């Protein structure tokens, strides 16, 4: 008797979301790598019921070249028939006939509920099919259980349990691009724009879009305005903003926004209010389906790939009658959660909003959502809160150090506004530690950072200067001269070293006895105490965007591209861009390159091209090996490849440091800057002020004492000793190298 292979089906259902293709690709390729047969079910549950050509076996190459495409190539649909038992019985008949008894469902709460119902009914449905003679008893007996794994595809990020859903990050990209574009025209004409974004029961896109776009007001379903006369309050704030020189006003409205009594707040109503009460020329833009479309962001590509691969592993390893799992992301890690508990929690938020129980709704969204809402509340004020006359405010300096990183300006804006709002004086230091040495320090007011939320680069200036010798004395004098009570350094490794230097010299220079905190900002993502630094997400998106174009340029030839990316001694950008673009090989400084690897990679590549492959991609970190440079590898492959394929190199260079910050970088910049200012305020009065560096670990903000810096850092390579993303290394190979090559290698 031959062993029947395990057969897995994958379908996308409900609303489409960018990133679904990456998940489908990962399901297909992980399944094949494990020796399974994988079937795509086209058009969601409709295809499951219709069967025939809508259920197709996939091979390795059928999911080639789809990772960068928006939407879902296997189609999605709504199916009224699947809501009926007859429909589900027909679906079961199609699956059993093909021997498929494991399904990965990528969709929203409706799709996942339907899948769970189908799973529970499965044994009865099969019994009915046997009774009707549609399938044989043997067929039914061969598939006693249906195993399912769910992945949430929803641009709204409206699901409980998982921190992000497929498509939400890309939708935020579309929203911030739109707000940025609208802001520039609004500022030219001094206009007001009301922008409606998606989100019926979830304000995630509106809230994060407003923070990332530097909007002036926002309405979300979970947090209706406190006051009944919110119209007047909004108009007052926007009017004062204008009086203080703000050239544009942007109001973001979630499509499900309403007041405390459940009355909808529509974009058109807000426009009417603004025109009538402020006499402002107001325009409405409803972003609509633009938010759903376009190429997926880097995050939506790599995250969805991980989710798809894990879903297959869950289907292969879980007990047949185990509770079905939702594969989600929590604290930056893939997790398996009880599917139906998550669905039910998600529904409860919608119910709470429908019942006007906003406290319950917001509580279920979690702390960081509430924190973000509060921060937005401060940032959109047109003026700081009135000062507390009984308390002396402190004087805090904000500065950069290291290479420029997108998100630096956003962080300065948030720090300055939060600091001033809490009654403190905020000082800007130009040109990094050189400015602190030269006394190039000035006071920053509320409007001095207007428009900085969205700007790339570093307006305060930055460089890699680390002060030495008598320069420390100059710094001490300037700290005293300007009455600086605390320093926020937003920057990279040079800034961390310089801050540590000031801290360790405090026994010589008493002026250094002030709190100092470092906020991680570098595209290299090589800083201790933080899983991600500001700028890394923007750089990753820039790389992915560039590689998409490079790949498109090669439509007609057999070509291997070798793309060199930045990162210094840290391979984060190389590995993650490799995952997000489907690169066959990634060369990292953590692993290095040797002749043996080059030889076997070359052999494998020749075999690929012999078998008809047209395009291959290698990503090499700039410092992966000092001898085997990008040009060297390029020449080697070109020479050895002969007529089989040609080789081109692309060194991406400084485009990786530029560009407007991505929504994620803007949101994190704001969140971290707020926490840093709170830290300075808390420690400025203490006898023994401390040094610290802030960062993310497991999605949470953590503050580390500066003494921990040497322990967490590998000083020779200037990178953290622990790097979470290294665990994803085998994934690039799993998803790009068909099993047949694994056998070739073992020979
Ligand atoms: P989403 O998955 O994005 O929430 P829908 O709620 O429209 O989108 O669900 C998509 C499809 O999932 C529906 O067209 C239907 O076929 C199926 N479905 C949804 N809810 C159920 C249910 N309670 N029972 C059976 N099938 C369902």
């Amino acid at each position: 008797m031959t062993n029947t292979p395990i057969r897995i089906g994958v379908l996308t259902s409900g609303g489409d979301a960018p990133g679904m293709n990456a998940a489908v690709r990962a399901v297909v390729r992980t399944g094949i790598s494990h020796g399974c047969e994988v079937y795509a079910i086209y058009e969601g549950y409709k295809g499951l019921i219709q069967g025939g050509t809508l259920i197709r076996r996939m091979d390795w190459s059928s999911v080639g070249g789809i990772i960068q495409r928006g939407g879902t190539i296997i189609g999605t649909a709504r199916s009224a028939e699947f809501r009926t038992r007859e429909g589900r019985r027909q679906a079961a008949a199609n699956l059993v006939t093909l021997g498929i008894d494991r399904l990965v469902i990528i969709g929203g709460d409706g799709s996942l509920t339907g899948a769970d119902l189908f799973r529970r009914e499965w044994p009865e449905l099969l019994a009915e099919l046997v009774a009707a003679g549609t399938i044989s008893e043997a067929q039914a007996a061969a598939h006693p259980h249906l195993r399912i794994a769910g992945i949430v595809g929803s641009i709204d990020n409206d699901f409980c349990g998982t921190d992000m859903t497929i498509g939400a990050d890309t939708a935020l990209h579309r929203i911030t691009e739109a707000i940025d574009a609208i802001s520039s025209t609004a500022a030219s004409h001094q206009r007001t724009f009301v922008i409606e974004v998606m989100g019926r029961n979830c304000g995630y896109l509106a809230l994060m879009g407003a923070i990332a776009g530097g909007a002036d007001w926002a309405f979300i379903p979970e947090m209706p305005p406190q006051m009944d006369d919110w119209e007047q309050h909004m108009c007052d704030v926007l009017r004062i903003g204008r009086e203080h020189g703000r050239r544009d006003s942007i109001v973001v409205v979630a499509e499900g926004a309403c007041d405390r009594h459940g009355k909808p707040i529509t974009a058109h109503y807000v426009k009417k209010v603004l025109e009538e009460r402020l006499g402002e020329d107001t325009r409405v833009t409803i972003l609509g389906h633009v938010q759903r479309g376009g190429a997926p962001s880097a995050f939506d590509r790599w995250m969805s790939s991980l989710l798809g691969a894990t879903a297959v592993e869950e289907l292969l390893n879980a007990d047949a009658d185990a509770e079905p799992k939702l594969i989600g992301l929590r604290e930056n890690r893939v997790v398996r959660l009880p599917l139906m508990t998550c669905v039910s929690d998600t529904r409860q938020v919608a119910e709470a909003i429908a019942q006007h129980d906003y406290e319950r709704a917001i509580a279920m969204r979690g702390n960081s959502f509430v924190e973000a809402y509060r921060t937005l509340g401060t940032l959109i004020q047109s003026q700081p809160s009135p000062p507390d006359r009984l308390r002396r405010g402190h004087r805090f300096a904000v500065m950069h150090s290291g290479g420029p990183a997108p998100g630096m300006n956003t962080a300065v804006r948030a720090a300055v506004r939060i600091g001033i709002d809490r009654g403190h004086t905020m000082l800007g230091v130009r040109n990094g530690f050189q400015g602190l040495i030269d006394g190039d320090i000035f006071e920053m007011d509320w409007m001095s950072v207007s428009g900085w939320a969205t700007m790339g680069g570093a307006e305060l200036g930055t460089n890699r200067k680390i002060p030495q010798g008598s320069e420390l004395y100059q710094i001490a004098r300037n700290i005293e001269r300007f009455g600086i009570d605390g320093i926020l350094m937003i920057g990279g490794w040079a800034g961390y070293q310089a801050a540590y230097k000031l801290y360790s010299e405090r026994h010589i220079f008493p002026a250094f006895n002030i709190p100092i905190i470092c906020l991680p900002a570098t595209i290299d993502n090589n800083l201790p105490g933080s899983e991600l630094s500001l700028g890394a997400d923007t750089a990753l998106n820039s790389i992915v965007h560039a590689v998409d174009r490079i790949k498109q340029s090669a439509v007609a030839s057999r070509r291997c591209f070798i793309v060199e990316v930045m990162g210094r001694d840290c391979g984060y950008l190389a590995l993650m861009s490799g995952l997000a673009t489907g690169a066959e090989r990634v060369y990292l400084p953590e692993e290095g390159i040797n002749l043996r690897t080059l030889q076997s990679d070359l052999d494998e590549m020749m075999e690929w091209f012999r078998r008809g492959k047209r395009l291959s991609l290698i990503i090499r970190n700039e410092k992966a090996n000092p001898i085997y440079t990008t040009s060297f590898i390029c020449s080697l492959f070109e020479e050895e490849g002969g007529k089989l394929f040609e080789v081109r190199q692309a060194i991406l260079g400084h485009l990786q440091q530029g560009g407007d910050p991505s929504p994620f970088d803007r949101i994190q910049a704001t969140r971290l800057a707020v926490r840093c200012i709170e830290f300075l305020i808390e420690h400025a009065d203490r006898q023994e002020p401390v040094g610290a560096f802030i960062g993310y670990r497991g999605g949470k903000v953590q503050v580390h004492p500066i003494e921990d810096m040497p322990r967490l850092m590998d000083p020779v390579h200037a990178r953290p000793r622990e790097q979470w993303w290294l665990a994803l290394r085998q994934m690039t190979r799993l998803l790009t190298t068909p099993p047949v090559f694994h056998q070739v290698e073992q020979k």
Side-chain angles (χ1 to χ4, degrees), residues 339-600:
L339 178 76
M340 288 319 287
T341 313
C342 299
V343 169
S344 132
D345 288 352
T346 302
R347 297 212 157 145
Q348 280 184 39
V349 181
E351 274 163 28
I353 293 173
Q355 291 161 4
H356 310 171
D357 186 352
Y358 300 110
E359 263 171 41
R360 190 156 70 95
I362 198 76
M364 293 186 77
R365 287 275 178 252
N367 285 341
S368 55
F369 193 92
V370 179
E371 196 183 296
Y373 187 76
R374 263 196 232 115
T375 302
L376 179 70
T378 305
L379 294 177
I380 62 178
Q381 285 172 202
S382 39
Q383 279 184 317
S385 305
D388 176 353
R389 294 189 190 286
L390 298 177
R391 245 188 42 213
R392 183 187 84 88
H394 292 293
R395 292 167 67 80
F396 296 129
V398 185
M399 62 182 300
H400 300 306
S401 175
M408 282 179 155
N409 287 326
T410 321
V412 173
R413 168 184 179 260
V416 165
R417 291 211 166 160
I418 296 289
I420 295 175
D421 186 64
R422 310 254 167 111
H424 308 283
T425 302
M426 298 304 291
L427 305 167
V429 180
R430 290 196 188 91
N431 296 324
F433 281 90
Q434 190 61 51
L436 211 51
I437 297 165
D438 299 339
D440 198 352
I441 299 165
F442 65 105
E443 186 172 336
M444 300 185 82
D445 66 19
W446 192 264
M447 292 311 275
S448 67
V449 289
S450 181
W452 285 31
T454 62
M455 272 191 312
E459 289 297 296
L460 287 178
T462 184
N463 54 50
R464 295 204 162 86
K465 170 86 190 167
I466 300 174
Q468 310 287 346
S470 63
E471 292 168 340
L472 291 169
Y473 171 71
Q474 303 271 21
I475 292 180
R477 275 198 49 188
N478 283 328
I479 288 177
E480 280 165 1
R481 195 171 128 221
F482 287 90
I484 296 171
D485 297 315
I487 297 175
L488 165 58
M489 192 294 300
I490 302 163
W493 182 224
Y496 276 58
Q497 285 176 297
Y500 189 78
K501 180 141 201 133
L502 296 199
Y503 172 78
S504 47
E505 300 270 338
R506 53 178 58 190
H507 58 286
I508 302 174
F509 301 100
F512 296 166
N513 271 309
I514 54 172
I516 300 175
I517 188 158
C518 304
L519 189 160
T522 165
I523 66 161
D524 301 334
N525 199 28
N526 61 350
L527 294 172
S530 193
E531 291 180 346
L532 285 169
S533 56
L534 296 189
D537 184 61
T538 309
L540 196 56
N541 277 290
S542 303
I543 295 169
V544 165
H545 190 62
V547 172
D548 282 353
R549 286 168 179 229
I550 289 170
K551 280 166 81 174
Q552 278 170 350
S553 76
V555 281
S557 48
R558 278 192 288 180
R559 193 170 272 185
C560 164
F561 281 107
I562 304 178
V563 178
E564 181 183 300
V565 301
M566 287 181 166
R568 298 184 158 232
D569 282 303
C570 172
Y572 175 81
L573 288 178
L575 183 75
M576 301 313 269
S577 62
L579 263 180
T581 54
E584 279 85 10
R585 281 291 169 279
V586 177
Y587 294 139
L588 306 175
E590 286 82 356
E591 294 176 331
I593 308 175
N594 59 40
L595 203 52
R596 259 196 331 276
T597 340
L598 284 179
Q599 177 73 61
S600 83

Side-chain angles (χ1 to χ4, degrees), residues 13-15 45 77-84 88 107-115 117 153 347:
S13 169
Y45 290 128
R78 311 227 189 244
S79 160
E81 244 187 306
F82 194 71
R83 292 178 187 271
T84 67
R88 294 192 291 276
D109 62 336
S111 308
L112 298 176
T113 307
L117 179 63
R347 297 212 157 145

